[in-house]
Amino acid sequence: MQLLVGLMGAKKAIEVGVFTGYSTLSIASALPEDGKIIACDINVEWTKIAKQFWEMAGFSHKIDLKLAPAIETLDLLLKNNEAGTFDFVFIDADKANYPIYYEQALSLIRVGGLILIDNVLWSGKVADPTIEDDNTKTIRAFNQKLHNDPRITLSMLPLGDGLTLAMKIFS
Ligand SMILES: C[S@@+](CC[C@H](N)C(=O)[O-])C[C@H]1O[C@@H](n2cnc3c(N)ncnc32)[C@H](O)[C@@H]1O
């Protein structure tokens, strides 16, 4: 992620799902000094740990933590006329809302911007038709939707738990 953010020359990024801040740090470290990442989470305890590490690493000035449901934070950005102004979004939070986060992210990034989505293989469950729980069904349908989405160029990396890269090609 650090490499991708650097390669793109990204200045404005969003992360949906911070936890203890590891991926936030990798993105923030590749942003320029005047770059910013909006880091969305709802958990005070975990993000308190994140803030300590951001401080220690010397990148906290680039990180704007928003403690609220990410749908609300992204909606606010859209209401503040920030559509089309972001370069990079990493989605890694509650799976049920992936389709909503994706649509919001697609509105918020510029043409040529990149959305990364984690856990798209869901431990291989998406490829097993006998598994029908809600999260598996959501991610399966989500993968299919992106596969047919003409607004993006798509690449799914089979590393870790599956990482989708979606580049916006139309506004
Ligand atoms: C898998 S962890 C994120 C891991 C992090 N991206 C990393 O790589 O280190 C998922 C995070 O999503 C957060 N989350 C869950 N539901 C959320 C919501 N509705 N809005 C914002 N964050 C949410 C959780 O609190 C948790 O910290």
PDB file of all heavy atoms in Angstrom, residues 34-69:
ATOM      1  N   ASP A  34       2.223  17.704   3.220  1.00  0.00           N
ATOM      2  CA  ASP A  34       0.923  18.386   3.265  1.00  0.00           C
ATOM      3  C   ASP A  34      -0.222  17.445   2.885  1.00  0.00           C
ATOM      4  O   ASP A  34      -1.335  17.877   2.613  1.00  0.00           O
ATOM      5  CB  ASP A  34       0.919  19.626   2.354  1.00  0.00           C
ATOM      6  CG  ASP A  34       1.210  19.261   0.894  1.00  0.00           C
ATOM      7  OD1 ASP A  34       1.699  18.145   0.626  1.00  0.00           O
ATOM      8  OD2 ASP A  34       0.939  20.107   0.018  1.00  0.00           O
ATOM      9  N   GLY A  35       0.051  16.132   2.877  1.00  0.00           N
ATOM     10  CA  GLY A  35      -0.993  15.146   2.574  1.00  0.00           C
ATOM     11  C   GLY A  35      -1.822  14.851   3.807  1.00  0.00           C
ATOM     12  O   GLY A  35      -1.446  15.182   4.930  1.00  0.00           O
ATOM     13  N   LYS A  36      -2.980  14.204   3.594  1.00  0.00           N
ATOM     14  CA  LYS A  36      -3.884  13.913   4.712  1.00  0.00           C
ATOM     15  C   LYS A  36      -4.612  12.594   4.486  1.00  0.00           C
ATOM     16  O   LYS A  36      -5.018  12.289   3.375  1.00  0.00           O
ATOM     17  CB  LYS A  36      -4.899  15.058   4.760  1.00  0.00           C
ATOM     18  CG  LYS A  36      -5.710  15.248   6.024  1.00  0.00           C
ATOM     19  CD  LYS A  36      -4.968  15.435   7.308  1.00  0.00           C
ATOM     20  CE  LYS A  36      -4.903  16.817   7.877  1.00  0.00           C
ATOM     21  NZ  LYS A  36      -3.982  16.971   8.983  1.00  0.00           N
ATOM     22  N   ILE A  37      -4.736  11.826   5.539  1.00  0.00           N
ATOM     23  CA  ILE A  37      -5.600  10.641   5.491  1.00  0.00           C
ATOM     24  C   ILE A  37      -6.723  10.813   6.506  1.00  0.00           C
ATOM     25  O   ILE A  37      -6.468  11.121   7.677  1.00  0.00           O
ATOM     26  CB  ILE A  37      -4.822   9.316   5.708  1.00  0.00           C
ATOM     27  CG1 ILE A  37      -5.799   8.134   5.804  1.00  0.00           C
ATOM     28  CG2 ILE A  37      -3.894   9.348   6.909  1.00  0.00           C
ATOM     29  CD1 ILE A  37      -5.164   6.765   5.654  1.00  0.00           C
ATOM     30  N   ILE A  38      -7.956  10.658   6.036  1.00  0.00           N
ATOM     31  CA  ILE A  38      -9.124  10.646   6.925  1.00  0.00           C
ATOM     32  C   ILE A  38      -9.277   9.201   7.390  1.00  0.00           C
ATOM     33  O   ILE A  38      -9.537   8.305   6.572  1.00  0.00           O
ATOM     34  CB  ILE A  38     -10.408  11.067   6.169  1.00  0.00           C
ATOM     35  CG1 ILE A  38     -10.220  12.379   5.402  1.00  0.00           C
ATOM     36  CG2 ILE A  38     -11.601  11.107   7.119  1.00  0.00           C
ATOM     37  CD1 ILE A  38     -10.250  13.625   6.204  1.00  0.00           C
ATOM     38  N   ALA A  39      -9.084   8.963   8.681  1.00  0.00           N
ATOM     39  CA  ALA A  39      -9.100   7.598   9.224  1.00  0.00           C
ATOM     40  C   ALA A  39     -10.407   7.390   9.988  1.00  0.00           C
ATOM     41  O   ALA A  39     -10.680   8.066  10.979  1.00  0.00           O
ATOM     42  CB  ALA A  39      -7.900   7.407  10.146  1.00  0.00           C
ATOM     43  N   CYS A  40     -11.244   6.462   9.487  1.00  0.00           N
ATOM     44  CA  CYS A  40     -12.593   6.280  10.049  1.00  0.00           C
ATOM     45  C   CYS A  40     -12.675   5.027  10.918  1.00  0.00           C
ATOM     46  O   CYS A  40     -12.319   3.929  10.463  1.00  0.00           O
ATOM     47  CB  CYS A  40     -13.620   6.102   8.930  1.00  0.00           C
ATOM     48  SG  CYS A  40     -13.558   7.332   7.631  1.00  0.00           S
ATOM     49  N   ASP A  41     -13.157   5.199  12.133  1.00  0.00           N
ATOM     50  CA  ASP A  41     -13.433   4.036  12.991  1.00  0.00           C
ATOM     51  C   ASP A  41     -14.464   4.446  14.042  1.00  0.00           C
ATOM     52  O   ASP A  41     -14.774   5.631  14.195  1.00  0.00           O
ATOM     53  CB  ASP A  41     -12.151   3.509  13.654  1.00  0.00           C
ATOM     54  CG  ASP A  41     -12.215   2.003  13.926  1.00  0.00           C
ATOM     55  OD1 ASP A  41     -13.018   1.590  14.799  1.00  0.00           O
ATOM     56  OD2 ASP A  41     -11.485   1.236  13.265  1.00  0.00           O
ATOM     57  N   ILE A  42     -14.989   3.432  14.752  1.00  0.00           N
ATOM     58  CA  ILE A  42     -15.965   3.723  15.807  1.00  0.00           C
ATOM     59  C   ILE A  42     -15.441   3.309  17.179  1.00  0.00           C
ATOM     60  O   ILE A  42     -16.085   3.552  18.183  1.00  0.00           O
ATOM     61  CB  ILE A  42     -17.309   2.983  15.547  1.00  0.00           C
ATOM     62  CG1 ILE A  42     -17.060   1.529  15.126  1.00  0.00           C
ATOM     63  CG2 ILE A  42     -18.167   3.715  14.548  1.00  0.00           C
ATOM     64  CD1 ILE A  42     -18.312   0.692  15.004  1.00  0.00           C
ATOM     65  N   ASN A  43     -14.262   2.680  17.213  1.00  0.00           N
ATOM     66  CA  ASN A  43     -13.780   2.090  18.464  1.00  0.00           C
ATOM     67  C   ASN A  43     -12.742   2.985  19.152  1.00  0.00           C
ATOM     68  O   ASN A  43     -11.633   3.172  18.648  1.00  0.00           O
ATOM     69  CB  ASN A  43     -13.202   0.696  18.171  1.00  0.00           C
ATOM     70  CG  ASN A  43     -12.910  -0.060  19.450  1.00  0.00           C
ATOM     71  OD1 ASN A  43     -12.057   0.339  20.230  1.00  0.00           O
ATOM     72  ND2 ASN A  43     -13.636  -1.141  19.673  1.00  0.00           N
ATOM     73  N   VAL A  44     -13.113   3.510  20.299  1.00  0.00           N
ATOM     74  CA  VAL A  44     -12.246   4.446  21.020  1.00  0.00           C
ATOM     75  C   VAL A  44     -11.001   3.729  21.551  1.00  0.00           C
ATOM     76  O   VAL A  44      -9.875   4.238  21.436  1.00  0.00           O
ATOM     77  CB  VAL A  44     -13.025   5.090  22.196  1.00  0.00           C
ATOM     78  CG1 VAL A  44     -12.121   6.004  23.019  1.00  0.00           C
ATOM     79  CG2 VAL A  44     -14.222   5.863  21.678  1.00  0.00           C
ATOM     80  N   GLU A  45     -11.204   2.542  22.108  1.00  0.00           N
ATOM     81  CA  GLU A  45     -10.114   1.799  22.756  1.00  0.00           C
ATOM     82  C   GLU A  45      -8.996   1.453  21.761  1.00  0.00           C
ATOM     83  O   GLU A  45      -7.818   1.699  22.012  1.00  0.00           O
ATOM     84  CB  GLU A  45     -10.731   0.520  23.322  1.00  0.00           C
ATOM     85  CG  GLU A  45      -9.918  -0.207  24.345  1.00  0.00           C
ATOM     86  CD  GLU A  45     -10.624  -1.501  24.739  1.00  0.00           C
ATOM     87  OE1 GLU A  45     -11.875  -1.533  24.702  1.00  0.00           O
ATOM     88  OE2 GLU A  45      -9.919  -2.465  25.033  1.00  0.00           O
ATOM     89  N   TRP A  46      -9.383   0.886  20.622  1.00  0.00           N
ATOM     90  CA  TRP A  46      -8.376   0.472  19.627  1.00  0.00           C
ATOM     91  C   TRP A  46      -7.692   1.679  18.987  1.00  0.00           C
ATOM     92  O   TRP A  46      -6.479   1.672  18.751  1.00  0.00           O
ATOM     93  CB  TRP A  46      -9.013  -0.404  18.540  1.00  0.00           C
ATOM     94  CG  TRP A  46      -9.507  -1.720  19.055  1.00  0.00           C
ATOM     95  CD1 TRP A  46      -9.040  -2.393  20.140  1.00  0.00           C
ATOM     96  CD2 TRP A  46     -10.576  -2.521  18.519  1.00  0.00           C
ATOM     97  NE1 TRP A  46      -9.747  -3.559  20.310  1.00  0.00           N
ATOM     98  CE2 TRP A  46     -10.684  -3.669  19.335  1.00  0.00           C
ATOM     99  CE3 TRP A  46     -11.436  -2.376  17.427  1.00  0.00           C
ATOM    100  CZ2 TRP A  46     -11.628  -4.668  19.091  1.00  0.00           C
ATOM    101  CZ3 TRP A  46     -12.365  -3.368  17.178  1.00  0.00           C
ATOM    102  CH2 TRP A  46     -12.460  -4.498  18.004  1.00  0.00           C
ATOM    103  N   THR A  47      -8.457   2.718  18.707  1.00  0.00           N
ATOM    104  CA  THR A  47      -7.850   3.874  18.034  1.00  0.00           C
ATOM    105  C   THR A  47      -6.979   4.685  19.000  1.00  0.00           C
ATOM    106  O   THR A  47      -6.108   5.435  18.562  1.00  0.00           O
ATOM    107  CB  THR A  47      -8.913   4.787  17.385  1.00  0.00           C
ATOM    108  OG1 THR A  47      -9.895   5.136  18.359  1.00  0.00           O
ATOM    109  CG2 THR A  47      -9.588   4.091  16.216  1.00  0.00           C
ATOM    110  N   LYS A  48      -7.197   4.499  20.307  1.00  0.00           N
ATOM    111  CA  LYS A  48      -6.303   5.129  21.290  1.00  0.00           C
ATOM    112  C   LYS A  48      -4.895   4.531  21.136  1.00  0.00           C
ATOM    113  O   LYS A  48      -3.889   5.242  21.174  1.00  0.00           O
ATOM    114  CB  LYS A  48      -6.844   4.846  22.699  1.00  0.00           C
ATOM    115  CG  LYS A  48      -6.407   5.824  23.730  1.00  0.00           C
ATOM    116  CD  LYS A  48      -7.164   5.587  25.022  1.00  0.00           C
ATOM    117  CE  LYS A  48      -6.335   6.033  26.203  1.00  0.00           C
ATOM    118  NZ  LYS A  48      -6.840   5.569  27.475  1.00  0.00           N
ATOM    119  N   ILE A  49      -4.842   3.228  20.951  1.00  0.00           N
ATOM    120  CA  ILE A  49      -3.552   2.545  20.704  1.00  0.00           C
ATOM    121  C   ILE A  49      -2.956   3.075  19.392  1.00  0.00           C
ATOM    122  O   ILE A  49      -1.780   3.405  19.308  1.00  0.00           O
ATOM    123  CB  ILE A  49      -3.747   1.013  20.639  1.00  0.00           C
ATOM    124  CG1 ILE A  49      -4.259   0.488  21.981  1.00  0.00           C
ATOM    125  CG2 ILE A  49      -2.453   0.297  20.228  1.00  0.00           C
ATOM    126  CD1 ILE A  49      -4.759  -0.949  21.960  1.00  0.00           C
ATOM    127  N   ALA A  50      -3.811   3.170  18.367  1.00  0.00           N
ATOM    128  CA  ALA A  50      -3.355   3.667  17.061  1.00  0.00           C
ATOM    129  C   ALA A  50      -2.705   5.040  17.215  1.00  0.00           C
ATOM    130  O   ALA A  50      -1.608   5.283  16.700  1.00  0.00           O
ATOM    131  CB  ALA A  50      -4.535   3.741  16.087  1.00  0.00           C
ATOM    132  N   LYS A  51      -3.383   5.919  17.956  1.00  0.00           N
ATOM    133  CA  LYS A  51      -2.880   7.303  18.089  1.00  0.00           C
ATOM    134  C   LYS A  51      -1.486   7.339  18.718  1.00  0.00           C
ATOM    135  O   LYS A  51      -0.647   8.142  18.335  1.00  0.00           O
ATOM    136  CB  LYS A  51      -3.866   8.140  18.903  1.00  0.00           C
ATOM    137  CG  LYS A  51      -5.081   8.564  18.078  1.00  0.00           C
ATOM    138  CD  LYS A  51      -5.838   9.697  18.725  1.00  0.00           C
ATOM    139  CE  LYS A  51      -6.860   9.164  19.706  1.00  0.00           C
ATOM    140  NZ  LYS A  51      -7.728  10.171  20.290  1.00  0.00           N
ATOM    141  N   GLN A  52      -1.255   6.441  19.690  1.00  0.00           N
ATOM    142  CA  GLN A  52       0.078   6.387  20.327  1.00  0.00           C
ATOM    143  C   GLN A  52       1.156   6.044  19.300  1.00  0.00           C
ATOM    144  O   GLN A  52       2.227   6.647  19.269  1.00  0.00           O
ATOM    145  CB  GLN A  52       0.089   5.321  21.422  1.00  0.00           C
ATOM    146  CG  GLN A  52      -0.687   5.715  22.667  1.00  0.00           C
ATOM    147  CD  GLN A  52      -0.877   4.529  23.613  1.00  0.00           C
ATOM    148  OE1 GLN A  52      -0.279   3.476  23.434  1.00  0.00           O
ATOM    149  NE2 GLN A  52      -1.721   4.713  24.612  1.00  0.00           N
ATOM    150  N   PHE A  53       0.856   5.062  18.440  1.00  0.00           N
ATOM    151  CA  PHE A  53       1.855   4.649  17.440  1.00  0.00           C
ATOM    152  C   PHE A  53       2.027   5.709  16.339  1.00  0.00           C
ATOM    153  O   PHE A  53       3.142   5.908  15.850  1.00  0.00           O
ATOM    154  CB  PHE A  53       1.499   3.275  16.860  1.00  0.00           C
ATOM    155  CG  PHE A  53       1.838   2.155  17.816  1.00  0.00           C
ATOM    156  CD1 PHE A  53       0.849   1.554  18.588  1.00  0.00           C
ATOM    157  CD2 PHE A  53       3.153   1.741  17.982  1.00  0.00           C
ATOM    158  CE1 PHE A  53       1.169   0.548  19.500  1.00  0.00           C
ATOM    159  CE2 PHE A  53       3.480   0.738  18.878  1.00  0.00           C
ATOM    160  CZ  PHE A  53       2.487   0.144  19.641  1.00  0.00           C
ATOM    161  N   TRP A  54       0.939   6.383  15.974  1.00  0.00           N
ATOM    162  CA  TRP A  54       1.048   7.450  14.967  1.00  0.00           C
ATOM    163  C   TRP A  54       1.962   8.558  15.488  1.00  0.00           C
ATOM    164  O   TRP A  54       2.775   9.107  14.755  1.00  0.00           O
ATOM    165  CB  TRP A  54      -0.339   8.036  14.633  1.00  0.00           C
ATOM    166  CG  TRP A  54      -1.286   7.045  14.022  1.00  0.00           C
ATOM    167  CD1 TRP A  54      -0.969   5.856  13.421  1.00  0.00           C
ATOM    168  CD2 TRP A  54      -2.711   7.153  13.966  1.00  0.00           C
ATOM    169  NE1 TRP A  54      -2.114   5.220  12.993  1.00  0.00           N
ATOM    170  CE2 TRP A  54      -3.191   5.989  13.307  1.00  0.00           C
ATOM    171  CE3 TRP A  54      -3.646   8.104  14.390  1.00  0.00           C
ATOM    172  CZ2 TRP A  54      -4.550   5.767  13.070  1.00  0.00           C
ATOM    173  CZ3 TRP A  54      -4.998   7.884  14.147  1.00  0.00           C
ATOM    174  CH2 TRP A  54      -5.434   6.725  13.499  1.00  0.00           C
ATOM    175  N   GLU A  55       1.781   8.853  16.786  1.00  0.00           N
ATOM    176  CA  GLU A  55       2.600   9.885  17.432  1.00  0.00           C
ATOM    177  C   GLU A  55       4.075   9.458  17.430  1.00  0.00           C
ATOM    178  O   GLU A  55       4.957  10.207  17.027  1.00  0.00           O
ATOM    179  CB  GLU A  55       2.085  10.051  18.874  1.00  0.00           C
ATOM    180  CG  GLU A  55       2.411  11.379  19.540  1.00  0.00           C
ATOM    181  CD  GLU A  55       1.726  12.568  18.862  1.00  0.00           C
ATOM    182  OE1 GLU A  55       0.491  12.548  18.673  1.00  0.00           O
ATOM    183  OE2 GLU A  55       2.474  13.492  18.518  1.00  0.00           O
ATOM    184  N   MET A  56       4.325   8.224  17.892  1.00  0.00           N
ATOM    185  CA  MET A  56       5.699   7.701  17.992  1.00  0.00           C
ATOM    186  C   MET A  56       6.388   7.684  16.631  1.00  0.00           C
ATOM    187  O   MET A  56       7.579   7.952  16.525  1.00  0.00           O
ATOM    188  CB  MET A  56       5.667   6.264  18.539  1.00  0.00           C
ATOM    189  CG  MET A  56       5.783   6.164  20.032  1.00  0.00           C
ATOM    190  SD  MET A  56       6.207   4.483  20.489  1.00  0.00           S
ATOM    191  CE  MET A  56       4.613   3.740  20.585  1.00  0.00           C
ATOM    192  N   ALA A  57       5.617   7.349  15.584  1.00  0.00           N
ATOM    193  CA  ALA A  57       6.197   7.243  14.243  1.00  0.00           C
ATOM    194  C   ALA A  57       6.399   8.613  13.597  1.00  0.00           C
ATOM    195  O   ALA A  57       7.055   8.727  12.561  1.00  0.00           O
ATOM    196  CB  ALA A  57       5.298   6.368  13.359  1.00  0.00           C
ATOM    197  N   GLY A  58       5.793   9.642  14.192  1.00  0.00           N
ATOM    198  CA  GLY A  58       5.958  11.006  13.670  1.00  0.00           C
ATOM    199  C   GLY A  58       5.058  11.316  12.481  1.00  0.00           C
ATOM    200  O   GLY A  58       5.382  12.179  11.662  1.00  0.00           O
ATOM    201  N   PHE A  59       3.907  10.633  12.389  1.00  0.00           N
ATOM    202  CA  PHE A  59       3.005  10.873  11.253  1.00  0.00           C
ATOM    203  C   PHE A  59       1.624  11.377  11.665  1.00  0.00           C
ATOM    204  O   PHE A  59       0.739  11.503  10.822  1.00  0.00           O
ATOM    205  CB  PHE A  59       2.848   9.588  10.422  1.00  0.00           C
ATOM    206  CG  PHE A  59       4.092   9.193   9.689  1.00  0.00           C
ATOM    207  CD1 PHE A  59       4.710   7.986   9.943  1.00  0.00           C
ATOM    208  CD2 PHE A  59       4.657  10.041   8.733  1.00  0.00           C
ATOM    209  CE1 PHE A  59       5.868   7.618   9.272  1.00  0.00           C
ATOM    210  CE2 PHE A  59       5.816   9.678   8.060  1.00  0.00           C
ATOM    211  CZ  PHE A  59       6.424   8.464   8.323  1.00  0.00           C
ATOM    212  N   SER A  60       1.437  11.662  12.951  1.00  0.00           N
ATOM    213  CA  SER A  60       0.070  11.991  13.402  1.00  0.00           C
ATOM    214  C   SER A  60      -0.462  13.287  12.770  1.00  0.00           C
ATOM    215  O   SER A  60      -1.673  13.448  12.634  1.00  0.00           O
ATOM    216  CB  SER A  60       0.003  12.063  14.928  1.00  0.00           C
ATOM    217  OG  SER A  60       0.992  12.919  15.390  1.00  0.00           O
ATOM    218  N   HIS A  61       0.441  14.185  12.355  1.00  0.00           N
ATOM    219  CA  HIS A  61      -0.023  15.434  11.724  1.00  0.00           C
ATOM    220  C   HIS A  61      -0.694  15.195  10.365  1.00  0.00           C
ATOM    221  O   HIS A  61      -1.386  16.069   9.856  1.00  0.00           O
ATOM    222  CB  HIS A  61       1.153  16.413  11.569  1.00  0.00           C
ATOM    223  CG  HIS A  61       2.275  15.893  10.718  1.00  0.00           C
ATOM    224  ND1 HIS A  61       3.091  14.851  11.098  1.00  0.00           N
ATOM    225  CD2 HIS A  61       2.709  16.264   9.484  1.00  0.00           C
ATOM    226  CE1 HIS A  61       3.985  14.616  10.146  1.00  0.00           C
ATOM    227  NE2 HIS A  61       3.766  15.446   9.158  1.00  0.00           N
ATOM    228  N   LYS A  62      -0.486  14.006   9.798  1.00  0.00           N
ATOM    229  CA  LYS A  62      -1.117  13.714   8.497  1.00  0.00           C
ATOM    230  C   LYS A  62      -2.413  12.914   8.660  1.00  0.00           C
ATOM    231  O   LYS A  62      -3.063  12.578   7.676  1.00  0.00           O
ATOM    232  CB  LYS A  62      -0.173  12.870   7.626  1.00  0.00           C
ATOM    233  CG  LYS A  62       1.132  13.540   7.254  1.00  0.00           C
ATOM    234  CD  LYS A  62       1.860  12.637   6.254  1.00  0.00           C
ATOM    235  CE  LYS A  62       3.337  12.881   6.219  1.00  0.00           C
ATOM    236  NZ  LYS A  62       4.022  11.885   5.382  1.00  0.00           N
ATOM    237  N   ILE A  63      -2.752  12.550   9.911  1.00  0.00           N
ATOM    238  CA  ILE A  63      -3.877  11.631  10.131  1.00  0.00           C
ATOM    239  C   ILE A  63      -5.016  12.334  10.870  1.00  0.00           C
ATOM    240  O   ILE A  63      -4.821  12.871  11.958  1.00  0.00           O
ATOM    241  CB  ILE A  63      -3.408  10.388  10.936  1.00  0.00           C
ATOM    242  CG1 ILE A  63      -2.264   9.687  10.197  1.00  0.00           C
ATOM    243  CG2 ILE A  63      -4.580   9.430  11.162  1.00  0.00           C
ATOM    244  CD1 ILE A  63      -1.529   8.629  11.022  1.00  0.00           C
ATOM    245  N   ASP A  64      -6.190  12.317  10.246  1.00  0.00           N
ATOM    246  CA  ASP A  64      -7.366  12.943  10.840  1.00  0.00           C
ATOM    247  C   ASP A  64      -8.348  11.829  11.211  1.00  0.00           C
ATOM    248  O   ASP A  64      -9.058  11.301  10.352  1.00  0.00           O
ATOM    249  CB  ASP A  64      -7.966  13.903   9.787  1.00  0.00           C
ATOM    250  CG  ASP A  64      -9.125  14.711  10.331  1.00  0.00           C
ATOM    251  OD1 ASP A  64      -9.464  14.544  11.525  1.00  0.00           O
ATOM    252  OD2 ASP A  64      -9.701  15.503   9.559  1.00  0.00           O
ATOM    253  N   LEU A  65      -8.348  11.455  12.499  1.00  0.00           N
ATOM    254  CA  LEU A  65      -9.206  10.350  12.955  1.00  0.00           C
ATOM    255  C   LEU A  65     -10.634  10.840  13.137  1.00  0.00           C
ATOM    256  O   LEU A  65     -10.876  11.823  13.840  1.00  0.00           O
ATOM    257  CB  LEU A  65      -8.664   9.787  14.280  1.00  0.00           C
ATOM    258  CG  LEU A  65      -9.511   8.695  14.938  1.00  0.00           C
ATOM    259  CD1 LEU A  65      -9.535   7.418  14.104  1.00  0.00           C
ATOM    260  CD2 LEU A  65      -8.991   8.383  16.353  1.00  0.00           C
ATOM    261  N   LYS A  66     -11.583  10.144  12.529  1.00  0.00           N
ATOM    262  CA  LYS A  66     -13.002  10.475  12.680  1.00  0.00           C
ATOM    263  C   LYS A  66     -13.676   9.318  13.395  1.00  0.00           C
ATOM    264  O   LYS A  66     -13.828   8.226  12.823  1.00  0.00           O
ATOM    265  CB  LYS A  66     -13.672  10.676  11.314  1.00  0.00           C
ATOM    266  CG  LYS A  66     -13.012  11.715  10.430  1.00  0.00           C
ATOM    267  CD  LYS A  66     -13.318  13.127  10.880  1.00  0.00           C
ATOM    268  CE  LYS A  66     -12.855  14.155   9.865  1.00  0.00           C
ATOM    269  NZ  LYS A  66     -12.837  15.525  10.411  1.00  0.00           N
ATOM    270  N   LEU A  67     -14.057   9.560  14.645  1.00  0.00           N
ATOM    271  CA  LEU A  67     -14.707   8.507  15.430  1.00  0.00           C
ATOM    272  C   LEU A  67     -16.223   8.599  15.254  1.00  0.00           C
ATOM    273  O   LEU A  67     -16.908   9.310  15.999  1.00  0.00           O
ATOM    274  CB  LEU A  67     -14.320   8.647  16.902  1.00  0.00           C
ATOM    275  CG  LEU A  67     -13.011   7.987  17.306  1.00  0.00           C
ATOM    276  CD1 LEU A  67     -12.635   8.351  18.732  1.00  0.00           C
ATOM    277  CD2 LEU A  67     -13.065   6.465  17.151  1.00  0.00           C
ATOM    278  N   ALA A  68     -16.710   7.888  14.250  1.00  0.00           N
ATOM    279  CA  ALA A  68     -18.143   7.880  13.921  1.00  0.00           C
ATOM    280  C   ALA A  68     -18.357   6.755  12.917  1.00  0.00           C
ATOM    281  O   ALA A  68     -17.394   6.327  12.266  1.00  0.00           O
ATOM    282  CB  ALA A  68     -18.553   9.203  13.302  1.00  0.00           C
ATOM    283  N   PRO A  69     -19.586   6.279  12.765  1.00  0.00           N
ATOM    284  CA  PRO A  69     -19.817   5.292  11.706  1.00  0.00           C
ATOM    285  C   PRO A  69     -19.304   5.839  10.371  1.00  0.00           C
ATOM    286  O   PRO A  69     -19.596   6.993  10.018  1.00  0.00           O
ATOM    287  CB  PRO A  69     -21.338   5.126  11.716  1.00  0.00           C
ATOM    288  CG  PRO A  69     -21.753   5.498  13.104  1.00  0.00           C
ATOM    289  CD  PRO A  69     -20.801   6.588  13.524  1.00  0.00           C
TER     290      PRO A  69
END
